[in-house]
């Protein structure tokens, strides 16, 4: 998929109205706080992606809303995506029709690589679980629906636990029904994802990479709930289920978040995003747009060359940083304005 035109109003510190990016691989070069990251975030959001920042923080200070528009060319045709961002939510229009963000997942979209991705590897289990849920949700509409249903039941069950636990059995059954399917889909996805991740990681760094899904209810879900009932009533919350599970990244059999160096974690975080890109390419039959922020930060020469080799094979990719690789076309970013 190729981005033909990106337009915006009131998005962070961007100061242009329209940007026509080059095709193939190119670099965004500029100093710190000039708008490189803002541009990548805006493009990613416009194509249906999600970012860590709240919507309110993405709107220029003093404005009530921001507007994004992307015109893209896919093998299935031309698409125009428009979004209005307000603190309370996003309004999305695809080819003049109002849609949900899930509808944009039918397109290849984009994969955004950020320096803070290392927190997926080194951070909390909530970070790793959120990464897994967002990733599976890009491939499975059913998975996103199950997560939503599970979270509603979880809230009801937690409310009952706080109120003394009367009537829990019905909610136990519902929680187990959704939770078991969520766990089965996670296992199935990781079985598909792991070989791709291992292949990508071998091209970036030494060390055999692995994934381990640590489940709080690995066997009989209902039995696991019953076994923790007294503790749950005391604490007023559900202590087992997919909302408590952890995705553990391994290098040479050791958990990276406990034993890995930051350099190892950085390489693994990059491999995760590139593996995501490869899997989306296989799923859609064409490559998503690849956006890499601070492309050379904390990467040794071998990893930089591997990233370059991969991006040169794509219909379109953007490397943002303080300098551009030799031979790569450059767009300069200064004061929120882009010049190519």
């Amino acid at each position: 998929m190729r981005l033909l035109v990106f337009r915006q109003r009131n998005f962070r510190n961007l100061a242009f109205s329209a940007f026509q990016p080059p095709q193939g691989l190119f670099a965004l070069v500029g100093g710190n706080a000039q708008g490189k990251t803002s541009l990548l975030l805006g493009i990613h959001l416009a194509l249906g992606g999600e970012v860590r920042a709240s919507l309110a923080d993405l709107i220029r200070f003093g404005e009530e809303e921001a507007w994004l528009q992307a015109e893209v060319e896919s093998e299935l045709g031309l698409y125009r995506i428009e979004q209005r961002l307000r603190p309370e939510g996003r309004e999305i229009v695809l080819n003049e029709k109002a849609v949900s963000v899930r509808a944009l997942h039918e397109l290849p979209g984009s994969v955004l690589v950020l320096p803070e991705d290392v927190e997926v590897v080194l951070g909390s289990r909530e970070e790793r679980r959120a990464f897994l849920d967002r990733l599976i949700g890009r491939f499975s509409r059913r998975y996103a629906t199950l997560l939503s249903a599970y979270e509603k039941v979880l809230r009801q069950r937690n409310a009952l636990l706080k109120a003394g636990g009367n009537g829990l059995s019905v909610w136990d059954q519902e929680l187990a029904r959704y939770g078991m399917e969520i766990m089965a889909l996670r296992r199935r996805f990781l079985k598909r994802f792991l070989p791709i991740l291992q292949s990508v990681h071998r091209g970036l760094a030494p060390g055999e990479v692995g994934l381990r899904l640590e489940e709080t209810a690995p066997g009989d879900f209902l039995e696991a709930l019953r076994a923790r009932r007294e503790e749950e009533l005391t604490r007023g919350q559900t202590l087992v289920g997919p909302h408590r599970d952890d995705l553990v990244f391994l290098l040479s059999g050791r958990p990276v978040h406990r034993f890995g160096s930051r350099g190892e974690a950085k390489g693994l975080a990059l491999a995760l995003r590139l593996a995501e890109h490869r899997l989306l390419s296989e799923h859609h039959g064409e490559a998503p747009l690849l956006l890499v922020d601070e492309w050379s930060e904390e990467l040794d020469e071998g990893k930089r060359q591997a990233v370059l080799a991969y991006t040169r094979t794509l219909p379109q990719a953007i490397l943002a940083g303080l300098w551009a690789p030799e031979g790569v076309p450059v767009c300069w970013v200064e004061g929120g304005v882009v010049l190519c």
Side-chain angles (χ1 to χ4, degrees), residues 52-280:
R52 291 169 177 260
S54 69
L55 291 176
D57 291 338
L58 298 173
I59 300 169
R60 182 178 295 133
F61 183 74
E63 301 291 342
E64 295 183 355
E65 67 175 33
W67 173 82
L68 305 173
Q69 184 190 79
E71 295 182 16
V72 299
E73 182 182 32
S74 163
E75 291 187 0
L76 299 177
L78 298 175
Y79 295 87
R80 175 178 289 181
I81 306 164
E82 294 187 50
Q83 296 195 35
R84 292 190 183 278
L85 310 181
R86 299 186 178 94
E88 61 271 19
R90 300 159 70 175
E91 294 179 6
I92 304 172
V93 175
L94 175 62
N95 287 351
E96 314 302 325
K97 180 181 178 181
V99 299
S100 69
V101 69
R102 290 182 189 175
L104 300 185
H105 293 169
E106 301 300 319
L107 298 173
S110 59
V111 172
L112 175 61
V113 183
L114 295 170
E116 53 263 39
D117 287 340
V118 72
E119 292 306 314
V120 173
V121 179
L122 293 180
S124 67
R125 66 171 58 195
E126 287 79 15
E127 288 272 3
R128 292 187 287 276
R129 195 167 53 241
F131 165 80
L132 179 62
D133 288 340
R134 283 194 297 268
L135 183 54
I136 301 176
R138 292 194 68 168
F139 297 91
S140 172
R141 189 181 291 262
R142 172 67 177 165
Y143 186 79
T145 301
L146 284 168
L147 277 182
S148 178
Y150 179 87
E151 288 164 4
K152 289 178 182 177
V153 174
L154 182 64
R155 287 194 294 271
Q156 292 284 349
R157 188 175 188 276
N158 284 342
L160 280 180
L161 286 169
K162 291 181 174 69
N166 290 330
L168 270 179
S169 60
V170 173
W171 296 105
D172 287 355
Q173 294 284 344
E174 286 293 285
L175 196 73
R177 181 163 69 93
Y178 293 123
M180 289 173 66
E181 190 170 354
I182 288 169
M183 291 188 291
L185 284 172
R186 283 178 177 174
R187 295 184 208 115
R188 190 182 311 161
F189 176 82
L190 291 175
K191 186 175 181 180
R192 179 184 179 194
F193 184 66
L194 178 57
I196 296 175
L197 175 61
Q198 290 173 328
S199 175
V200 171
H201 190 264
R202 278 195 296 271
L204 292 173
E208 184 66 23
V209 67
L211 295 172
R212 183 174 70 220
L213 185 60
E214 294 186 345
E215 297 175 343
T216 52
D220 188 317
F221 201 133
L222 287 173
E223 181 58 36
L225 288 172
R226 285 192 287 267
R228 302 290 294 274
R229 178 64 51 85
E230 292 304 317
E231 185 181 359
E232 288 184 335
L233 286 168
T234 299
R235 297 175 60 176
Q237 59 181 306
T238 304
L239 300 177
V240 296
H243 67 290
R244 304 276 295 188
D245 296 347
D246 193 5
L247 176 65
V248 178
F249 302 104
L250 307 166
L251 280 178
S252 301
R254 293 158 62 90
V256 184
H257 69 282
R258 293 178 57 197
F259 300 105
S261 68
R262 185 169 179 86
E264 289 174 324
K266 184 75 176 179
L268 180 51
L270 175 60
L272 285 168
R273 290 300 184 196
L274 296 184
E276 174 184 351
H277 188 271
R278 276 185 49 180
L279 189 56
L280 282 165

Side-chain angles (χ1 to χ4, degrees), residues 20-32:
Q20 292 181 275
Q23 300 304 301
L25 172 64
F26 69 98
L28 289 176
V29 177
N32 293 325

